Amino acid sequence: MLDRTAFERTLAQIDGRGYASYKQLRGTYQFGTFRLAIDHVQVDPYAPPSRMRIILGPDTARLPADLTNDAIGRRAVADFLTRRFSDVAHRLAPEPSGTGNSGLVSIGQPGQEVLERTSVVIAPDRIEARIDVGLPASGRRARGREASKLLVSLLPRIADASLVCANLNERALREHVILHRDQEWLRSQLAGQNLVALVGDGAVLPRRSGDSDLPLSGTDAIPFTSPDSMQVEFQLPSGQTITGMGVPEGVTVIVGGGYHGKSTLLRAIERGVYPHIAGDGREWVITRADAVSIRAEDGRAVTGVDISPFITNLPSGIDTRRFSTTNASGSTSQATNLVEAIDAGASALLIDEDTSATNFMIRDERMRALIPASREPITPFVDRVRPLFTELGVSTILVAGGSGAFFDVADRVIALDHYVAHNVTNEARRLTPEHQDDGGNADSRVFTYERTARVPDLGSLARSGNEKPAKARGTTIQFAGETIDLGAVAQLVDPAQTQAIAWALDRIAGLADGRMSVEELVLAVQDHVDAEGLDWLSPFSGHPGHLTRPRRHELHAALSRLRSLGLTEP
């Protein structure tokens, strides 16, 4: 391990030489109380930045033991340090000058959610910040002296200000951890209380704009208030009492006029599968971690999925118990998304009529009379939503804006009026006819479904020896020579989740043995990450790249959308 003096001497020698001379810097250096590990040096100023790690001993960081003695606490502390490092780097780092990424210092871009990330690791023997640094350049020549200022002078200042507890706002750190622990404790209580979600009183649900995840502010931000008949109360481990609208298991329909907040409420519940930072407005919107958003997705690939509970007796004679297509329609895609969510372990489905296929959701009485069930391949969701719960235990929260067809199968109906929630279940039931004609379809109120293991064929996941690791860009993944589009997978909230999924697919290709099913492969990846951390997904040693942990449901969704996916014969 070299010291600071040797490091500065090397940078002085590099100054003005070709950019590739920066490769000499790879290695680990002792800078007083912390070490700098340079794991990867970018080949060009315009290439992805160099990957480095700042490593402190626990005696230097001196993080409070009571905040880091459990996995939930460590996750919250790591999130706090990540945000602090990002803020300090943004404040202290000079405006980039030179070519490409010159002067960049980044630890990633945490959003409103507190998630497991690779950005900061808190281990018994060290605290480690994984950062990206753009080594300075003029044209394609190294600016070694500028790099010395950046790496030898600036990084220690950022590290001291953001990773050493004595320089932190310890009260804010403690509150951050307490909030996160309370949120996850509350989430753990939902199933035992037969609740799917809690929407806390005082929550601010609307966002500033369609492309912003920040809360709406000012007089337009109407705090949420629970209807008295649905209010529940929790005493949190911290001693705080939280009240709000408990959404019970079963079938919940959300209605209201246009722009009155019904989709906003559903989106908040959808995002409530993740904990949020203080000030987000949705801190106390807590949803079961396995609730899954479902929508239509024209054009997606489907491989071997049993959609027969919804679609059967096709005129073409195709067996929908093992349905495959490279270009699904709205109804077949939504049926597939729903069945796959159940296969991945969803206990609740979140559905908005606006993003659904109409013929998948409902068929009114006049259409049933004109086209008898015997000549209609689609059994609409309205006929399956109750047996989904009574037979499989899968709840549904549904936004219905243009049809009252779900009133007669709903356990409760919530109306939004200017963002104020009202329990209108009794009023909705008075509008429901006493007797409904099922159009002659005798089994339309049952849910016949047998889960069949989908075992990937090894050839469809095979990777060539020189093939590059899978790569994410936005909501798409490049894997095995094809593009997987996850744009309709609505509960992905961080681009680093998509990258984690991309590398998880590489790992799945290595784990597949021709016997493990899609579900078993996804769970195997989750088990490895539980045991070894997110670093296990990365093809790189040292700095693993910026990754955020996805849920198993989104990983299952990505593998299922692989167009080349082949299955072994049952």
Side-chain angles (χ1 to χ4, degrees):
M1 185 184 303
L2 298 177
D3 61 14
R4 173 174 176 164
T5 303
F7 187 67
E8 289 181 298
R9 186 165 52 247
T10 301
L11 286 171
Q13 293 169 353
I14 286 173
D15 192 53
R17 295 169 59 184
Y19 199 84
S21 59
Y22 273 133
K23 291 184 179 180
Q24 299 175 47
L25 298 179
R26 284 195 62 183
T28 302
Y29 305 87
Q30 187 70 49
F31 286 7
T33 58
F34 79 87
R35 285 175 287 150
L36 177 66
I38 302 179
D39 297 313
H40 168 76
V41 177
Q42 61 201 101
V43 297
D44 181 274
Y46 298 95
S50 301
R51 296 193 301 272
M52 304 183 188
R53 289 173 293 139
I54 297 173
I55 306 166
L56 288 75
D59 291 339
T60 300
R62 300 187 70 83
L63 298 173
D66 64 316
L67 301 184
T68 58
N69 59 6
D70 66 327
I72 292 175
R74 287 190 294 275
R75 183 191 311 144
V77 172
D79 180 85
F80 186 91
L81 298 182
T82 297
R83 294 174 191 277
R84 173 67 176 168
F85 190 103
S86 180
D87 290 345
V88 173
H90 181 74
R91 177 165 50 87
L92 295 184
E95 286 294 323
S97 61
T99 50
N101 291 307
S102 292
L104 172 74
V105 178
S106 173
I107 197 167
Q109 298 293 325
Q112 299 296 98
E113 297 81 13
V114 178
L115 302 171
E116 181 181 347
R117 301 183 179 91
T118 55
S119 53
V120 171
V121 170
I122 299 171
D125 62 337
R126 72 193 191 284
I127 288 80
E128 189 173 290
R130 282 83 175 269
I131 63 174
D132 291 342
V133 176
L135 294 173
S138 292
R140 282 183 165 80
R141 293 202 170 274
R143 295 166 61 183
R145 299 188 188 280
E146 290 297 318
S148 183
K149 294 177 184 178
L150 181 66
L151 302 177
V152 180
S153 300
L154 181 62
L155 283 189
R157 292 173 60 201
I158 296 174
D160 282 341
S162 59
L163 302 176
V164 177
C165 188
N167 299 323
L168 301 174
N169 183 335
E170 187 172 343
R171 179 179 177 181
L173 170 62
R174 190 165 293 277
E175 290 175 351
H176 191 77
V177 175
I178 290 171
L179 172 61
H180 188 56
R181 283 175 170 165
D182 277 349
Q183 290 169 328
E184 291 305 274
W185 177 87
L186 200 159
R187 192 186 316 282
S188 73
Q189 303 301 301
L190 293 177
Q193 297 297 318
N194 300 319
L195 296 175
V196 173
L198 169 77
V199 183
D201 289 331
V204 176
L205 307 184
R207 302 293 94 184
R208 291 184 186 177
S209 64
D211 60 355
S212 173
D213 203 31
L214 298 175
L216 187 66
S217 58
T219 57
D220 291 334
I222 300 173
F224 183 85
T225 303
S226 170
D228 291 342
S229 59
M230 297 183 70
Q231 188 172 78
V232 297
E233 179 179 297
F234 287 91
Q235 187 80 23
L236 302 174
S238 65
Q240 182 181 0
T241 298
I242 288 293
T243 63
M245 182 178 74
V247 182
E249 296 172 341
V251 180
T252 299
V253 177
I254 302 171
V255 300
Y259 306 99
H260 280 253
K262 55 188 184 296
S263 292
T264 299
L265 173 59
L266 186 69
R267 292 291 87 76
I269 293 172
E270 178 183 282
R271 292 296 183 94
V273 299
Y274 304 116
H276 288 77
I277 60 173
D280 172 78
R282 300 168 296 184
E283 300 96 310
W284 298 113
V285 181
I286 309 292
T287 307
R288 287 192 190 180
D290 58 3
V292 177
S293 176
I294 303 298
R295 60 181 60 188
E297 187 181 352
D298 297 74
R300 65 153 291 187
V302 181
T303 305
V305 179
D306 182 2
I307 60 172
S308 63
F310 300 100
I311 300 173
T312 190
N313 298 324
L314 291 175
S316 62
I318 294 174
D319 184 1
T320 57
R321 293 172 299 177
R322 197 171 169 85
F323 182 76
S324 298
T325 181
T326 58
N327 188 21
S329 67
S331 56
T332 55
S333 65
Q334 192 159 1
T336 300
N337 290 344
L338 191 154
V339 171
E340 287 177 350
I342 296 172
D343 284 345
S347 71
L349 307 175
L350 312 175
I351 302 176
D352 193 327
E353 189 178 73
D354 283 350
T355 56
S356 297
T358 301
N359 61 341
F360 173 79
M361 297 296 289
I362 59 172
R363 276 207 308 146
D364 65 27
E365 296 309 309
R366 283 182 287 185
M367 188 61 72
R368 290 176 189 262
L370 183 64
I371 309 294
S374 59
R375 298 206 302 272
E376 172 53 68
I378 301 175
T379 300
F381 182 65
V382 68
D383 290 350
R384 298 299 197 210
V385 65
R386 283 226 60 80
L388 260 175
F389 177 62
T390 57
E391 297 181 26
L392 299 185
V394 178
S395 299
T396 297
I397 301 176
L398 167 75
V399 166
S403 170
F406 284 88
F407 290 172
D408 67 315
V409 294
D411 293 298
R412 67 207 57 85
V413 180
I414 302 168
L416 272 292
D417 184 4
H418 289 85
Y419 287 90
V420 177
H422 303 273
N423 185 347
V424 296
T425 305
N426 292 333
E427 293 90 325
R429 285 176 178 163
R430 284 196 291 269
L431 300 174
T432 301
E434 293 185 8
H435 303 286
Q436 294 287 336
D437 181 6
D438 66 6
N441 189 356
D443 68 345
S444 66
R445 306 292 176 174
V446 299
F447 198 97
T448 303
Y449 168 62
E450 294 184 8
R451 298 187 184 186
T452 302
R454 295 190 300 149
V455 177
D457 175 76
L458 287 179
S460 67
L461 295 177
R463 310 293 308 278
S464 62
N466 59 355
E467 194 166 347
K468 292 182 178 180
K471 184 177 182 179
R473 178 169 294 178
T475 58
T476 63
I477 291 173
Q478 299 296 322
F479 171 77
E482 65 174 273
T483 300
I484 302 172
D485 185 358
L486 299 181
V489 182
Q491 287 164 293
L492 283 174
V493 297
D494 187 328
Q497 284 179 304
T498 312
Q499 184 58 67
I501 290 173
W503 286 343
L505 292 175
D506 284 337
R507 289 294 192 179
I508 282 175
L511 292 170
D513 59 2
R515 297 186 299 274
M516 296 175 71
S517 68
V518 167
E519 291 75 27
E520 289 170 333
L521 288 166
V522 169
L523 290 176
V525 168
Q526 294 287 310
D527 289 344
H528 275 287
V529 173
D530 286 341
E532 304 175 53
L534 277 169
D535 288 17
W536 178 79
L537 297 175
S538 176
F540 306 123
S541 59
H543 187 324
H546 293 301
L547 302 176
T548 299
R549 185 164 185 167
R551 302 187 306 163
R552 71 179 186 272
H553 309 87
E554 282 71 47
L555 177 52
H556 187 284
L559 181 56
S560 296
R561 283 162 176 73
L562 183 65
R563 293 186 179 277
S564 61
L565 181 66
L567 304 178
T568 62
E569 290 298 320

